[in-house]
Amino acid sequence: MIPIRTIGLVASAALLFSAAAHAQSPTPTPDADPYLWLEEVGSERALDWVKQWNGLTTSQLDKLPGMQQTTSAIREVVDSRERIPFVEKQGKYLYNFWKDADHPRGVLRRTTLERYKADVPQWEVVLDIDRLARDEKENWVWHGMECLKPHAERCLFSLTRGGGDAHVVREFDTHSLGFVPEGFYLPEAKSDVNWVSRDRLLVATDFGPGSLTSSGYPRIVKEWKRGTPLQSAKLVFEGEQADISVSGYSDHYPGYNREFVLRYTSFFTNELYFRHAGKLVRLDKPNGATAFTFKDQLLLRLRADWKLGDRQYQQGSLLSIGFSSFMAGKRNFTVLYQPDATRSLQSVATTRNAILLTELVNVRSQVQELRMQKGKWEQRTVATPAFANVSISSLDYLDSDQYFVVLNDFLTPTSLHLGQVGSDERHQLKSQPAFFDASGLKVEQHFARPKTARGFRTSSSCARTSSTTATIRRCCTAMADSRYR
């Protein structure tokens, strides 16, 4: 069992670093920044500075009581070969990226859903990063993949040298299991690239001097056609140097297949443009709202309150409207979710015919299922374990109403299940082993109200023994909100 004092160790490390940095830092002057050289994050001087502070922090942490025990306990969990091989579906296969002692850089492998249900799935190796690094004499680190939907016969693999943000993009054939000769290729850069069709990409990358934002990410999106040089790609959108980044993508819903450009003007604000008939139309939405499509619907997730005519939409709400209606100027939104003093929206996932909302209700996970029936949204609550943290992701949002459910609570090992829209039944696919003995423990939730007229209301979920003589609590989650009573 990992000691509770781990939290204290992390806090101690943060305080140690903060105090040391404060003691060593000279008083800033308006004329010069003595640490401006740290902006060169890859320079030898900057890396040596990082190593120095890492060494100081580690040496101090090693002196704390129980540090070695905590480190060993965490490593046992992280390095366990019995950990769940989480997957994502691309085409007809489930793909997993796996690291272990034999594959420190990792191996991309795949299997079918039926084989994955077995206790020990049969895997087919797609790409061995350790072998590729040896063969090409490069320090390759896996950086993810973007596959062409719906069949994923071609994918864009991203590889970094040493694990940085900048990566190389190479086209891969999932039938022959090899890189495509003369296929799409992007040199090392902080690129964002997405399929439109088999022969077209929307590419945001380093196109040369002036093509990056001040944050070092692309500010230009271009359409790149197969068989043509990147330099001849057609300009689609150009952001400002002060932006964070821009990117282009297609939503791939059958019958819609819309193209969009997303411009991040700051970490919390963005603009979304619809590309139609060669033109870009900016969506009239709050800059802080996140917008995305679901079939014929446009969904807006609000970061702040939004007053629209005589309607007031609350911060944290999820709104829905027909995409064509919205683009035609209509604003007759349906409120799919609205938070209150005890509820907040955590995540949104979509299947072929449903939207799955994961919310926190008094710090406990709950899942809502939404389906459009005869032009109206119908909602039902999906049954989930009372104290489990729930995470939802679709199996294949274009072709299936099945979805993955990850469950974990204070006493039960993390488990992976396969759920189905319209049903509360789940099929357990995988489970972590138990790393501590939970016998004699149970989970309870309590609410406290202050005796005074004003104060904080708190909620906590704790694991405790059932012994009446030696009641031991480990409060694992606590929340205090600003509702005065």
Side-chain angles (χ1 to χ4, degrees), residues 6 24 128 138 209 316 342 385:
T6 303
Q24 297 294 325
D128 186 328
E138 289 278 9
T342 62

Side-chain angles (χ1 to χ4, degrees), residues 134-342:
R134 289 194 301 269
D135 292 346
E136 298 187 352
K137 296 180 174 56
E138 289 278 9
N139 184 23
W140 288 133
V141 175
W142 179 249
H143 204 255
M145 65 182 185
E146 173 69 22
C147 296
L148 175 62
K149 297 185 182 303
H151 304 299
E153 68 272 14
R154 293 290 176 90
C155 294
L156 299 172
F157 285 2
S158 295
L159 300 163
T160 78
R161 292 183 173 92
D165 284 345
H167 52 273
V168 172
V169 178
R170 298 161 69 172
E171 187 177 4
F172 191 88
D173 189 315
T174 59
H175 293 307
S176 65
L177 298 184
F179 290 107
V180 178
E182 306 301 321
F184 287 117
Y185 172 86
L186 286 175
E188 189 173 48
K190 297 178 182 179
S191 303
D192 190 294
V193 53
N194 292 283
W195 295 97
V196 176
S197 66
R198 184 183 177 94
D199 297 320
R200 289 197 301 139
L201 303 177
L202 286 177
V203 178
T205 189
D206 185 350
F207 290 105
S211 66
L212 301 180
T213 67
S214 55
S215 298
Y217 292 93
R219 69 174 189 85
I220 293 174
V221 177
K222 293 186 178 184
E223 179 184 324
W224 187 17
K225 294 184 178 180
R226 185 180 298 279
T228 64
L230 179 61
Q231 293 77 10
S232 66
K234 178 183 177 182
L235 178 65
V236 173
F237 181 83
E238 187 170 357
E240 302 294 333
Q241 189 172 10
D243 293 343
I244 299 297
S245 65
V246 300
S247 60
Y249 67 93
S250 175
D251 63 12
H252 295 288
Y253 284 109
Y256 303 103
N257 200 22
R258 309 177 190 91
E259 296 177 32
F260 295 95
V261 169
L262 180 61
R263 175 193 182 194
Y264 274 98
T265 51
S266 74
F267 285 108
F268 304 108
T269 58
N270 68 82
E271 298 173 355
L272 186 63
Y273 296 82
F274 174 45
R275 189 184 186 211
H276 180 67
K279 296 181 180 181
L280 289 177
V281 180
R282 179 180 169 182
L283 272 67
D284 181 22
K285 69 172 188 66
N287 285 347
T290 301
F292 52 100
T293 53
F294 170 68
K295 301 174 74 172
D296 66 339
Q297 296 290 300
L298 174 70
L299 303 182
L300 290 181
R301 188 172 178 180
L302 303 183
R303 186 183 292 274
D305 291 345
W306 185 26
K307 184 172 179 55
L308 190 62
D310 59 353
R311 292 290 306 271
Q312 177 83 14
Y313 297 104
Q314 187 178 328
Q315 175 186 3
S317 295
L318 181 67
L319 312 180
S320 172
I321 190 173
F323 183 84
S324 297
S325 295
F326 180 86
M327 298 306 295
K330 295 183 179 179
R331 296 296 181 265
N332 52 324
F333 289 101
T334 298
V335 179
L336 299 184
Y337 186 88
Q338 181 171 298
D340 59 29
T342 62

Side-chain angles (χ1 to χ4, degrees), residues 467-485:
S467 169
T468 57
T469 57
T471 301
I472 303 172
R473 291 195 179 195
R474 286 197 302 120
C475 287
C476 305
T477 304
M479 177 187 76
D481 64 40
S482 58
R483 288 169 293 156
Y484 292 106
R485 301 284 175 163

